[in-house]
Structures are given as structure tokens and as C-alpha cells.
Amino acid sequence: MKNDLLLQIMRESREYKALSEGLVLSRRRAKQRPSAVTGLSEGASPIFLTSLAADEVAAGRRVLLLFANEKDASDEAIRLESEGIKAYHLPARDYNFNNTTASREYEHSRLFVLSEAMFSDSAFVVCATAEAVLQVTVPPEELIHLTYNIKQDCPLDLDRFIEVLSRGGYRRVELCEGAGQFAVRGGIIDVYPPAKAPYRIELFGDEIDRIGTFDPQSQRFVDFIDTDLLKRSDLDRRIGTSSLIF
């Protein structure tokens, strides 16, 4: 991690130790009490946030950091990632009050973070504004209902899978080139979830023959998804071995 010396100095400071002890005591109470930190200089603030986030994530706890605006929230998520801390930016929804075609990037990003919260067992940091956190979003029960377990060497109900994708907001296209799209060409199904890579599912009859990633530019198969890859990767949702949930 960068700035190891500065982080060590922060953790050994009397004030930081008092805060850590206060947080521990607060968690033991039936009603937790808030803790306030004031007087941090501009240079000390990122060191403090990195120390606190790293300590909480290392203890297996998830952290929500609220910021005054979207830029600060996004910048902090990027900075924490550069420090080796798993962090996401939850953007506020971009409202559109007319019928013109609008980008769904914000929706994809929000769905990705919500999916991590629902289906991932790991600890991480979410950076957001108060507006983003307070906005109405899909209920957990609905998100679970709109999931579909995809596992290699198992049968796939293609009609049901297409129905789930469509109800979940995916748009069927001829070529899958962007997030939120899917395409079906014979025994090949391409799905581009709100994550880092699009996935290709190849069928042998009605059974899933292989699952992997593909390049949306060339439309060529890139790599298989196997057990080791699933353990190392940042797939937005996962379950079991060599499987995906959409």
C-alpha cells in the first residue's frame, strides 16, 4: 500500500486510537452512537480515510463514505482502489423527463454496486453522496427474483433466460456491444452485464458447453471462465464453481 509510513503514523496517533476504541465500544451497545472527526488538514484527510477504510475492510466490515458531490465520491473510490482497497462509487441516478434516448451508465453502475452488496461475501467501501444513497432503487427481493444461475455443463432454459434478461432491463440486439445488452445467435448467447467484461455462453444442444469472455469490438472469444479465474476476478455476481448469475 502507498504511503505506508504516513498510515503508520496516523494509526499510532492518540486521536486515531481513541476513535478506533470508540467505534469498538459503540458496536457493543444496543444503539450505536455517532463519532465526529474534526480539524483534519487537507493533506491528512486522505490518509485518515485510507487508514479507517483499510482497517474496517480488513476486519470484514463494509464501509459507506458520504461526500458533498459526485466528483469527490468518484475520486475517492478511485484513490482507495489505487491504495489496494476494494472500493466502488455509487452514483446518483440521472433523471430524464423526456422521451429522448439517454445513457444508462448510471443505472448500470448502481446495479453493479447493489449486486456486489447482495451477492458478494467480501468487505468493501462504497463512496457516494447523500442524494445517491437516498434515491429509490430496486428492492432486494426483486433483484434476487431477476437473477438466473448459469453453470457450465448444466442445461439452460433459453426462453426463461431471455425472459429474465428482458425483465431485468437488458435490451436484445443483433450484436452485443455495450453494457445492458444481450444477443442470441443459434447456440451462442452474449450478455454484457454492468461489470468489467461481457460474457459468452456457448451451448451444445440445450447444455452449456463453455462460458467465457469476449471482445465486444471484434466479437471474438477471449478466454474461458474457470474456477481459478472466478476466485481471482471481479465478476459482479458469482455462485458455485464455473458459474455466473445474471
Side-chain angles (χ1 to χ4, degrees):
M1 185 178 291
K2 302 176 182 178
N3 304 315
D4 285 342
L5 179 59
L6 294 176
L7 294 175
Q8 181 181 352
I9 293 173
M10 175 64 73
R11 290 189 174 104
E12 292 177 352
S13 68
R14 181 181 59 188
E15 293 80 5
Y16 187 85
K17 288 181 178 179
L19 174 65
S20 298
E21 292 172 0
L23 291 174
V24 171
L25 291 174
S26 177
R27 293 189 190 97
R28 293 174 181 172
R29 297 190 180 101
K31 186 177 181 181
Q32 294 189 18
R33 298 177 182 177
S35 300
V37 178
T38 60
L40 286 171
S41 66
E42 185 176 351
S45 180
I47 300 299
F48 168 75
L49 288 177
T50 301
S51 300
L52 184 64
D55 291 346
E56 292 295 298
V57 169
R61 290 186 287 268
R62 295 176 178 178
V63 181
L64 173 63
L65 299 178
L66 296 180
F67 295 86
N69 56 68
E70 290 291 334
K71 183 180 184 306
D72 289 347
S74 177
D75 289 348
E76 185 62 22
I78 294 172
R79 192 189 66 79
L80 290 175
E81 279 283 345
S82 72
E83 295 283 357
I85 302 170
K86 192 174 184 180
Y88 303 117
H89 171 221
L90 178 69
R93 180 183 290 110
D94 187 22
Y95 290 105
N96 182 28
F97 297 100
N98 52 52
N99 293 325
T100 59
T101 301
S103 170
R104 307 189 70 173
E105 178 183 354
Y106 293 113
E107 294 179 23
H108 297 154
S109 298
R110 286 177 64 85
L111 181 58
F112 173 71
V113 177
L114 292 171
S115 299
E116 280 291 301
M118 288 287 298
F119 299 103
S120 173
D121 295 327
S122 63
F124 52 83
V125 179
V126 174
C127 301
T129 62
E131 179 188 6
V133 172
L134 292 175
Q135 285 179 338
V136 176
T137 189
V138 58
E141 298 79 9
E142 182 68 12
L143 188 58
I144 293 174
H145 179 69
L146 291 174
T147 60
Y148 194 99
N149 190 8
I150 300 297
K151 192 169 184 179
Q152 192 167 334
D153 298 326
C154 290
L156 175 68
D157 186 339
L158 184 56
D159 292 336
R160 168 63 178 156
F161 185 46
I162 292 174
E163 177 189 352
V164 170
L165 290 174
S166 299
R167 288 187 59 196
Y170 284 86
R171 184 165 59 92
R172 186 168 182 173
V173 294
E174 292 296 324
L175 289 178
C176 188
E177 299 175 314
Q181 298 178 348
F182 77 97
V184 180
R185 303 187 308 278
I188 298 176
I189 305 106
D190 292 337
V191 184
Y192 203 145
K196 295 183 179 179
Y199 304 120
R200 174 161 292 169
I201 304 162
E202 296 185 357
L203 303 178
F204 184 76
D206 63 349
E207 190 173 280
I208 298 173
D209 185 44
R210 66 175 182 172
I211 305 173
T213 58
F214 73 95
D215 184 347
Q217 300 271 338
S218 66
Q219 294 290 310
R220 292 182 177 178
F221 193 92
V222 175
D223 200 5
F224 291 99
I225 292 178
D226 55 27
T227 305
D228 292 334
L229 179 60
L230 281 170
K231 289 179 179 178
R232 293 193 308 268
S233 69
D234 289 324
L235 298 177
D236 59 327
R237 285 170 282 179
R238 61 189 76 83
I239 188 169
T241 302
S242 295
S243 64
L244 299 173
I245 299 182
F246 291 101

